[in-house]
Amino acid sequence: MGMLILGFQFTLTILICFVYLRLSSIFSVAHKWFSGLEFFIPPEEKELVKLDHSTVLKRRGKRGGDVYVPKKNEVELQVAIIDDTSLFKHLFFEEFDYLTLTLICVLANFALTEVQSCLGEPNNASVVTWMLLFAVGYCLKVMFNVIVKLPLQRYELNLTFFVSVASLVFCWMAIDLSGILLDFEIVEGFQGSLVRINELLDTTGWGFKVDLPLPVFKGFLAGIGALIVYVFFFPAFRLARSFSEIRKYPPDTYVSVPLNTFAFFWPVAVALLWFLPIKGLFVDSPDSAFASFGVSQTAYDAARFWSLALLALMRLGLLRPSLQAFLATAIGWAELLLSNTKSAERGKNIKYKTMGIYSYLCVAGVQILAPSTMLFSLAFMMKQSGASNYCLFTLAESAASVKSSMPQTPLYASLAVFTPVFYRAIFSFFAWWTTIAWFAVSIVALFLERNNAIYTAVGGPTTKVKESSAAATASASA
């Protein structure tokens, strides 16, 4: 039965990819993320000429500087609906399309493996894990391409590098705290896998052993953690901008604003689930001096998975409201350029900026879709390859379950190198670290939004610029 489901997984994945690519010119799920969104068209040529040649008032500001304010401090932006798929020849739309396909394949395989677990069959986790590793790698590649291809300023790259180096130190500290404060069995998994590798070398008769120091392994994991922070830097800034934009330009659906606030701070609750004192409140432990709620380890692992999955699903649910709020920033940019531009190029600047926001739409979508897909894939790997074979809906372990959730074929059993503890520690740690990194950098972005213009890679005027422009306009018209 297990091999039958495995073959069906292969067939279904290939069929999904084939049908999606063949029908992409006629019907594309990626287009549905954008279909129906409202975007703003820049003013007509006669309006632009009128803006460029309008009389400007010159007033003395509070600090002695000159403030230029047009007599007619308004501009009309026409609204249109995105419904033509031929318009999507934008930067990074192809990557967005493939990310959508990757997400569909991951969700389909997740549904199949859950059916397999609930039927009591052993999981073919090795095959699914390779597919999930490909999904994670592709998400990292797309987010790295955003950094490489966009015209970033030098100070933005320097800040990205500084945050990545600082995250290397924090990631190493988190690894050192595993088993003490954090529930990651990294040391045990590493030592068990090292013993297993040396046993395999002894059976082959090669005559040497692997003696990898533990600090080297920790440094390798910390380097991967720093790489995750590096590629998540501008998606985290995009998340901070989306958090502010949805509050400033709320969509028609009333649930978007409270869901936006809840999803932004939900990673705090997710991260706390891996702290040993929090776990001790729910799961029975012989070392704990306090009585717990008597939750089983399987139920607690399921709660961890669903907390990560809920975070990813909320981010995906907020994708369309975030894109609509991003398109609505054209109004703020028009007001900003109209009231704060000293030259006679106001109309042309408004036109270029409005068109730039529309052409940047797919980049903003990629910066939300890629981290969400990667986070769900890591959570799936954590459940599939690191934990025992249990059904997430019944929380009952199958009779065919073994401590290793890998397929117990003779060939695989002879070649298995890494232990289940190793898989559970690694995948759990990186799922937790990705959640922490995404949230922590977003908090930093909210602070920098009011102090620095650092949004070349995410678009949108900073709060400081908008507030100073509004204050200057108010003082000049007083």
Side-chain angles (χ1 to χ4, degrees):
M1 185 65 177
M3 295 303 297
L4 177 63
I5 296 179
L6 174 62
F8 186 68
Q9 281 180 307
F10 270 122
T11 305
L12 181 63
T13 303
I14 295 175
L15 182 62
I16 289 175
C17 295
F18 177 79
V19 173
Y20 187 92
L21 295 176
R22 285 293 183 180
L23 298 180
S24 60
S25 59
I26 303 175
F27 175 82
S28 176
V29 180
H31 289 136
K32 296 301 178 182
W33 292 108
F34 305 99
S35 180
L37 296 179
E38 297 180 350
F39 68 98
F40 295 88
I41 303 175
E44 300 179 356
E45 291 296 329
K46 58 180 181 180
E47 292 288 337
L48 296 177
V49 173
K50 186 185 302 183
L51 286 173
D52 291 339
H53 294 85
S54 61
T55 305
V56 177
L57 300 177
K58 183 176 181 181
R59 301 280 183 89
R60 181 68 61 179
K62 293 182 178 180
R63 299 184 178 181
D66 293 333
V67 178
Y68 293 80
V69 182
K71 283 186 175 180
K72 187 180 180 181
N73 192 17
E74 60 182 10
V75 61
E76 181 179 355
L77 297 178
Q78 299 180 3
V79 180
I81 303 297
I82 297 178
D83 55 0
D84 188 2
T85 57
S86 64
L87 295 176
F88 290 98
K89 303 299 181 183
H90 297 161
L91 184 65
F92 284 94
F93 176 72
E94 182 178 357
E95 287 82 354
F96 187 90
D97 195 15
Y98 289 150
L99 281 172
T100 304
L101 175 59
T102 302
L103 179 62
I104 293 174
C105 292
V106 169
L107 292 176
N109 281 275
F110 169 71
L112 284 176
T113 53
E114 280 307 297
V115 171
Q116 184 179 0
S117 297
C118 294
L119 290 177
E121 294 292 331
N123 291 326
N124 297 286
S126 59
V127 179
V128 179
T129 300
W130 281 111
M131 189 262 306
L132 294 174
L133 285 175
F134 171 79
V136 171
Y138 183 71
C139 293
L140 291 174
K141 174 181 176 295
V142 171
M143 289 185 285
F144 181 76
N145 288 341
V146 172
I147 301 176
V148 173
K149 293 184 179 181
L150 292 180
L152 304 179
Q153 302 296 325
R154 187 176 185 85
Y155 65 88
E156 291 176 319
L157 295 175
N158 292 338
L159 181 60
T160 306
F161 178 76
F162 172 77
V163 172
S164 301
V165 173
S167 66
L168 179 67
V169 179
F170 285 109
C171 187
W172 195 306
M173 293 173 57
I175 295 173
D176 284 337
L177 291 175
S178 62
I180 303 174
L181 182 62
L182 300 173
D183 189 23
F184 304 115
E185 300 172 314
I186 295 178
V187 177
E188 294 80 358
F190 169 74
Q191 293 174 347
S193 298
L194 199 60
V195 171
R196 178 58 179 161
I197 292 174
N198 290 326
E199 289 177 353
L200 291 176
L201 291 176
D202 289 338
T203 57
T204 56
W206 287 359
F208 70 92
K209 293 185 177 181
V210 176
D211 188 15
L212 183 65
L214 182 59
V216 176
F217 180 69
K218 289 182 177 180
F220 175 73
L221 295 182
I224 297 178
L227 176 63
I228 291 176
V229 173
Y230 179 77
V231 298
F232 265 73
F233 185 78
F234 287 111
F237 270 63
R238 177 70 257 157
L239 177 63
R241 286 300 310 142
S242 298
F243 176 71
S244 301
E245 289 166 358
I246 290 179
R247 297 175 64 186
K248 184 175 179 60
Y249 307 102
D252 295 335
T253 55
Y254 295 101
V255 71
S256 298
V257 176
L259 181 62
N260 177 46
T261 305
F262 181 78
F264 187 82
F265 294 101
W266 177 246
V268 177
V270 176
L272 290 176
L273 291 177
W274 271 269
F275 281 81
L276 287 174
I278 302 297
K279 179 184 176 182
L281 295 176
F282 296 93
V283 182
D284 289 329
S285 175
D287 299 331
S288 178
F290 302 96
S292 65
F293 290 97
V295 178
S296 65
Q297 182 64 45
T298 301
Y300 197 77
D301 290 337
R304 287 173 172 174
F305 171 82
W306 284 120
S307 64
L308 290 169
L310 178 61
L311 176 60
L313 293 176
M314 285 192 296
R315 294 277 190 254
L316 293 173
L318 288 170
L319 178 56
R320 276 181 61 88
S322 299
L323 296 178
Q324 183 59 77
F326 172 71
L327 291 172
T329 58
I331 302 175
W333 272 112
E335 295 174 353
L336 173 65
L337 295 173
L338 187 64
S339 61
N340 208 37
T341 304
K342 298 183 180 181
S343 63
E345 298 291 332
R346 291 187 300 276
K348 188 179 296 184
N349 291 339
I350 293 174
K351 176 181 179 181
Y352 289 157
K353 192 59 186 179
T354 306
M355 296 173 61
I357 290 174
Y358 178 72
S359 62
Y360 197 87
L361 181 63
C362 292
V363 182
V366 162
Q367 290 174 334
I368 300 174
L369 181 59
S372 303
T373 304
M374 176 178 168
L375 184 62
F376 187 83
S377 300
L378 286 172
F380 189 11
M381 282 195 297
M382 180 188 70
K383 189 265 176 186
Q384 183 73 5
S385 298
S388 57
N389 183 25
Y390 63 90
C391 177
L392 280 171
F393 299 98
T394 62
L395 298 181
E397 296 192 16
S398 65
S401 176
V402 290
K403 290 186 178 180
S404 171
S405 59
M406 297 298 179
Q408 300 301 302
T409 60
L411 176 62
Y412 183 84
S414 62
L415 297 178
V417 175
F418 301 110
T419 62
V421 178
F422 178 84
Y423 284 111
R424 180 168 59 250
I426 297 302
F427 294 148
S428 297
F429 175 76
F430 282 118
W432 177 83
W433 177 254
T434 300
T435 305
I436 287 293
W438 200 6
F439 174 73
V441 181
S442 301
I443 293 296
V444 175
L446 287 178
F447 173 77
L448 293 178
E449 178 188 5
R450 298 181 176 275
N451 296 275
N452 298 281
I454 191 171
Y455 287 97
T456 299
V458 295
T462 62
T463 303
K464 182 179 179 181
V465 175
K466 290 186 290 186
E467 289 178 351
S468 62
S469 173
T473 304
S475 61
S477 58

